[in-house]
Amino acid sequence: MDSTGISFTALFTGHVWYEHGMSARFFTSPKGRLLHRAAQPVEAAGRKLLGITVEDMLLQRHHIIDHLIQQRVTRDGVTQILEIACGYSPRGYKLSRKYPQLSYVEADLPHMALRKRTLLQQHRGFGPQHQVVACDVFAQGKPLGLDYIFTEVLDPKRPTLIITEGLVNYFSLQDISQVWSQLASLGQVFPKAWYLTDLVPKPDYTGKTLVNAATKMLSLATRASVNLHFNGPADIKQGMHQCGFHEVAVYQPEQFRDQLPIPLPPAKSPINSIVRVLECQIHPG
Ligand SMILES: C[S@@+](CC[C@H](N)C(=O)[O-])C[C@H]1O[C@@H](n2cnc3c(N)ncnc32)[C@H](O)[C@@H]1O
């Protein structure tokens, strides 16, 4: 499956994180700035009509995932992270310095992995146990398959966290379920393991028109079919259990109102936050 059309969206996200003080300047680019500027009229319309923008959604998911990572590292002894489809995520750069005991493996399609590795090398951005590897979640075996990365790159003795951010809605439920099942199965090797991801479920009636329009626009721009897989928390949990995950928690940004500096739609907005973050237990330990 060719999903390279998705890669440019990482430029936009990378720029948003930088603008909000969550990333380093070297992860931004003129193209990212341009995309960000071009999106401003749509963002302003979203803010006016709904009280929420794409940028808000990106910040919501990133803050919540960061928060859950911090909990797993400090409370549950996670010492290894695999961030799949890392794009320009600053986490490897930040966390491998903050927690020197942490092994941080970033993975993305070969062209993106090369770009990320080059940027980190140029800016002395690699932490003590930090690497970027090429990966295609739909490949099998050496050199790009998840099976190869789990057996040859990751350390089976470490409590492990696997992350995907901004990836899963670009694939059909059937295709991404194969990836999820593989993660749930390969993750059994670790003494303890979790999987974190964001996703956008199908909207309820109020948000339907907006989310459907945004989905169509994103499909056109990325040449990928953007899919909303699940109806709500019960449906999400059932789908993830079917792929082999144990406990599944579904978080909505509003739950973090008092804990995290995340943008939320105002009370008078016609919709609630759209994005959800899932924390799935792979191996209870
Ligand atoms: C929307 S970006 C998300 C990047 C980053 N996680 C973020 O939140 O900005 C999607 C990322 O998925 C990567 N990607 C697309 N198809 C992939 C695949 N089959 N296997 C691994 N990564 C893939 C792209 O190269 C891109 O970096």
Side-chain angles (χ1 to χ4, degrees):
M1 178 180 313
D2 179 10
S3 51
T4 47
I6 303 168
S7 297
F8 86 92
T9 57
L11 292 168
F12 181 80
T13 323
H15 191 79
V16 169
W17 292 328
Y18 172 67
E19 284 280 316
H20 290 268
M22 300 174 84
S23 187
R25 191 181 182 90
F26 65 82
F27 286 132
T28 62
S29 62
K31 262 192 196 163
R33 254 190 302 283
L34 203 69
L35 277 173
H36 187 251
R37 209 170 298 152
Q40 289 317 300
V42 181
E43 293 289 90
R47 168 90 53 227
K48 194 166 176 196
L49 296 172
L50 301 162
I52 184 129
T53 63
V54 172
E55 193 158 324
D56 291 342
M57 287 167 57
L58 299 178
L59 294 171
Q60 289 176 332
R61 75 182 195 203
H62 203 68
H63 273 298
I64 296 171
I65 293 176
D66 275 355
H67 174 71
L68 297 172
I69 294 172
Q70 166 113 357
Q71 283 188 343
R72 290 296 169 201
V73 170
T74 55
R75 281 198 212 156
D76 298 295
V78 160
T79 57
Q80 176 164 254
I81 295 181
L82 170 65
E83 185 169 5
I84 300 168
C86 58
Y88 295 105
S89 163
R91 285 197 188 100
Y93 169 68
K94 294 198 299 190
L95 294 181
S96 62
R97 284 144 197 278
K98 183 170 178 188
Y99 302 110
Q101 82 282 11
L102 191 64
S103 163
Y104 206 103
V105 179
E106 305 197 55
D108 206 306
L109 292 173
H111 69 285
M112 185 58 97
L114 179 62
R115 220 178 289 166
K116 184 85 181 266
R117 200 179 302 121
T118 307
L119 281 175
L120 285 164
Q121 274 161 354
Q122 279 170 349
H123 297 274
R124 297 173 185 270
F126 276 110
Q129 300 187 62
H130 178 197
Q131 55 182 313
V132 182
V133 298
C135 159
D136 179 341
V137 292
F138 298 107
Q140 294 296 324
K142 195 176 178 179
L144 300 180
L146 288 171
D147 51 345
Y148 170 72
I149 291 171
F150 272 67
T151 52
E152 299 299 323
V153 179
L154 298 180
D155 178 351
K157 294 193 281 304
R158 290 175 180 249
T160 296
L161 191 57
I162 296 149
I163 305 166
T164 59
E165 181 176 8
L167 182 74
V168 303
N169 285 108
Y170 287 108
F171 305 108
S172 70
L173 181 57
Q174 193 184 352
D175 288 340
I176 198 64
S177 292
Q178 282 174 25
V179 177
W180 283 334
S181 300
Q182 199 182 12
L183 291 178
S185 153
L186 291 168
Q188 296 303 317
V189 69
F190 305 113
K192 288 193 257 181
W194 293 267
Y195 169 59
L196 293 177
T197 189
D198 65 303
L199 61 73
V200 176
K202 289 177 188 160
D204 59 19
Y205 185 73
T206 340
K208 212 170 191 158
T209 317
L210 163 86
V211 177
N212 288 344
T215 311
K216 284 207 180 95
M217 273 166 57
L218 201 54
S219 294
L220 277 174
T222 56
R223 292 178 279 119
S225 77
V226 177
N227 294 266
L228 309 181
H229 308 122
F230 300 114
N231 278 313
D235 201 21
I236 294 174
K237 286 183 186 184
Q238 192 189 9
M240 300 312 279
H241 288 149
Q242 277 170 2
C243 292
F245 294 102
H246 295 266
E247 299 273 305
V248 176
V250 180
Y251 295 108
Q252 179 165 346
E254 278 75 1
Q255 287 173 256
F256 297 91
R257 187 183 297 278
D258 300 325
Q259 288 175 69
L260 300 177
I262 47 178
L264 291 171
K268 62 177 177 5
S269 165
I271 60 167
N272 283 321
S273 295
I274 291 163
V275 72
R276 301 290 179 268
V277 174
L278 315 188
E279 188 174 38
C280 309
Q281 198 175 49
I282 295 177
H283 193 263

